[in-house]
Structure formats: C-alpha cells, structure tokens
Amino acid sequence: MGKGKLEKFADMREYPHVFEYPYSVADNVPFDMKGSWNRDFFKNDHPIVLELGCGRGEYTVGLGRMYPDKNFIGVDIKGSRMWTGATEALKECMKNVAFLRTNIEIIDRFFAPGEVSEIWLTFSDPQMKKATKRLTSTYFMERYRKFLKPDGLIHLKTDSNFMFTYTRYMVEENRLPVEFMTEDLYHSGLVDDILGIRTYYEQQWLDRGLNIKYMKFRLPQENELHEPDVEIELDEYRSYNRSKRSGLKTSK
Ligand SMILES: C[S@@+](CC[C@H](N)C(=O)[O-])C[C@H]1O[C@@H](n2cnc3c(N)ncnc32)[C@H](O)[C@@H]1O
C-alpha cells in the first residue's frame, strides 16, 4: 500500500532537496538561499528553471533527466503531490533537482534578480474569476520579472481554452515576443521529448478528449505591463465537480 499524507509529509521534512516555506511560516523562518541556490545547493553555475504549480513534478524531474546541465526547481503548495517527484529525484540521486513548497504569490522572496532563466507553467488553474490569481496575468509577470533574466522564457502548457486565450491576449497587449504557439499539440506533429512529458492533470484532460495547448514566450524587463481588457468565453467543463467531469463529453 502507498504512503499516507502524514508519512509523505514526514519524508519531505527529511529530504535534503526539499525546502518548505509556505506563506504561514515564511515571515518567521529565514530563507538564506535567495541569490545563492547555485552556490549553496546545486554547486554549479548552470541555468535555473522553475516549474510553478508543479503538482507531482513531472516536468521538474523529466527535464532534470534530459538536461543534466540545467537546474530544476518544482514549486507548489501541496506537499503530498510534490512528494512523488521529490521521491523519484531522490531515488535516482539527481543532483540538479530541488523542490520548494510555498505559495507562488510570494515566489520573489526566494530568488534574486536574474537568478532564474526559464519558467514552466504546467496545467495551471485558469482562475477564470480573478486575473490577480492567474499565473499568466501581468500581476504574476511583474513578480517573475523580479528574478527572471532579461528576456527569460516562459512556457505554458494547458488544456484550458480560457487560460490559453487570455495568455495570448496578455502577450499581444504587451508585445511579448512569442517563440512558439500551438492550440493542438498532439495533433500537430510537433511533439518532441520535452513537450511529450505528460503530467498527471494533463493525462486526465487528454482522457476526456481535450486538446493540449502550448505557448512559449519571452518576458523582457522593459516597458510597463498592461492587463488585457477582454471578455473570454469560460471553460464550461471546469464548472462541474470531479465526478461529473469523468462522464463529460467534450468537444475538441
Ligand atoms: C491543476 S494542478 C497541476 C499540477 C501539475 N502541474 C500537473 O499538470 O499535473 C495545479 C497545481 O498548482 C498548485 N497551485 C495553484 N495555485 C498555487 C499557488 N498560488 N501557490 C502554490 N501552488 C499553487 C496546486 O497546488 C496544484 O498542485
């Protein structure tokens, strides 16, 4: 039988590559690796890549295997999900993978200016009601700017038409350079080893027949960012609870 939540939490407390700083303790527990992840933890000067809302950390671990010359940090607030990727990385003795358990709202407390090269957003909650909570809103772009290298890369992989459309408007409104974009990754013939990594949520959406969308864009440091003023059709399937979703037929 698999481990329960409490056992996973206990494991996480002992893991040398897991750092736990949820908002509730972040004010009281000093974090002294801001600006020195490479020197103090990874012991190299390789580029740092974050997966925000990493869940079980499929991208963090999968990319870590593919790119030993880059460092990967999975970030999420849910420790029991993160345990899966953290345990895999530990078993494989991966030296280029770490996990940070915190709220993404305070992510800029953990990284210094220019410390991060790339960000992956994998199946992030679209937060259709509140742009301030949406991980591709300008509110978050402003936070990312505080620690992303100039013209750092942001990857968005999503099932959500709302999230994808919103992000496209956000990118257009702010003239952010787009490197690549597809609304139907798996029927485009463009899937490579990187884009072929499937996350837990991704597989659920694929099983329901949804198309997976992907976008890669750069975030320059210059220019004030403006929120797009647009009305976007909501994703209907997200208003169902999980049991109803399972039987849901979705159009492609
Ligand atoms: C829909 S799940 C996707 C998980 C994983 N990337 C996947 O594709 O399977 C979204 C994840 O983001 C995390 N998350 C959402 N908002 C967050 C926030 N503000 N701070 C930290 N984690 C957050 C949730 O805990 C959850 O694990």
Side-chain angles (χ1 to χ4, degrees), residues 178-191:
V178 175
E179 300 248 311
F180 183 71
M181 188 185 281
T182 173
E183 290 196 42
D184 188 359
L185 181 63
Y186 290 106
H187 299 106
S188 64
L190 294 165
V191 181

Side-chain angles (χ1 to χ4, degrees), residues 61-78:
V61 176
L63 291 174
R65 286 191 193 109
M66 281 178 210
Y67 295 98
D69 52 352
K70 290 186 182 181
N71 299 324
F72 296 89
I73 305 172
V75 182
D76 204 294
I77 193 59
K78 297 248 168 93

Side-chain angles (χ1 to χ4, degrees), residues 14 33 70 109 150 193 214 224:
E14 301 300 320
M33 272 207 318
K70 290 186 182 181
R109 291 194 192 181
D193 287 350
Y214 170 73
E224 199 179 312

Side-chain angles (χ1 to χ4, degrees), residues 11-164:
D11 282 353
M12 295 273 284
R13 281 195 291 273
E14 301 300 320
Y15 286 178
H17 62 320
V18 171
F19 301 88
E20 303 199 71
Y21 289 88
Y23 187 63
S24 50
V25 306
D27 276 341
N28 305 320
V29 184
F31 180 79
D32 50 16
M33 272 207 318
K34 180 172 179 169
S36 61
W37 281 86
N38 274 351
R39 190 192 66 202
D40 294 346
F41 179 74
F42 292 113
K43 317 279 187 206
N44 59 40
D45 58 0
H46 297 165
I48 293 179
V49 181
L50 305 185
E51 183 187 6
L52 300 183
C54 68
R56 299 174 178 211
E58 288 90 344
Y59 263 84
T60 302
V61 176
L63 291 174
R65 286 191 193 109
M66 281 178 210
Y67 295 98
D69 52 352
K70 290 186 182 181
N71 299 324
F72 296 89
I73 305 172
V75 182
D76 204 294
I77 193 59
K78 297 248 168 93
S80 57
R81 291 184 182 169
M82 186 181 273
W83 175 89
T84 305
T87 305
E88 262 182 60
L90 194 72
K91 284 189 178 153
E92 292 181 32
C93 299
M94 297 176 77
K95 296 284 175 244
N96 63 334
V97 167
F99 286 89
L100 172 62
R101 189 169 82 76
T102 194
N103 303 76
I104 300 164
E105 285 76 5
I106 55 167
I107 188 71
D108 49 302
R109 291 194 192 181
F110 303 93
F111 300 95
E115 193 170 13
V116 173
S117 296
E118 288 179 48
I119 293 175
W120 278 82
L121 300 168
T122 50
F123 299 87
S124 314
D125 304 313
Q127 299 288 0
M128 294 188 282
K129 288 190 184 147
K130 272 202 165 178
T132 49
K133 291 188 166 184
R134 205 171 298 142
L135 296 187
T136 58
S137 68
T138 54
Y139 305 100
F140 277 89
M141 294 297 139
E142 291 292 7
R143 288 190 181 102
Y144 305 155
R145 268 182 166 178
K146 292 185 184 165
F147 56 79
L148 202 55
K149 285 190 190 310
D151 292 326
L153 267 180
I154 300 186
H155 306 256
L156 170 70
K157 202 179 182 196
T158 182
D159 56 287
S160 165
N161 195 46
F162 179 92
M163 183 77 165
F164 188 81

